Amino acid sequence: VIFMETLQYPARIRKDGGGFLVTFPDFPDAVTAGDTRKEALNNAVGSLMEVIAARIAHKDDVPSPSPARNHTPITLPPQSA
C-alpha cells in the first residue's frame, strides 16, 4: 500500500482592485492573482508548485508548511507533495 502525503500551505487572499491577490507567508517570492476568488485560488496551486520546483532545482530549502492561522490553506496535489 502506498500512501501519498498531502501538504497544505497557508495563503493570504485579499481584494486587490478588481481582483484578488494571493501571497504565501512561507514563500515571500510566490505571488499570484485572479479576477475572481476562485480563479485566484486555482492560480495559487500553480504558483506554489512553481516556487517549490524552482527551490528544489536550485537546491534551496523548502520550508514545511506553517500553521494556517486565519489564512486559507492551499493543498498541493499528492504527486507534488
Side-chain angles (χ1 to χ4, degrees):
V1 176
I2 297 174
F3 293 97
M4 292 194 169
E5 181 181 348
T6 59
L7 292 176
Q8 290 185 326
Y9 281 92
R12 185 176 300 121
I13 302 168
R14 68 171 199 252
K15 194 90 164 113
D16 185 50
F20 292 84
L21 181 70
V22 182
T23 57
F24 300 89
D26 296 320
F27 298 97
D29 48 337
V31 178
T32 192
D35 292 334
T36 65
R37 182 177 172 84
K38 183 177 180 179
E39 181 181 35
L41 287 170
N42 286 335
N43 292 342
V45 174
S47 178
L48 195 52
M49 289 172 51
E50 285 181 29
V51 75
I52 290 172
R55 286 185 178 211
I56 290 170
H58 290 100
K59 295 183 173 52
D60 293 334
D61 289 335
V62 176
S64 296
S66 61
R69 290 192 191 122
N70 301 321
H71 292 88
T72 302
I74 303 298
T75 303
L76 290 175
Q79 66 271 24
S80 298

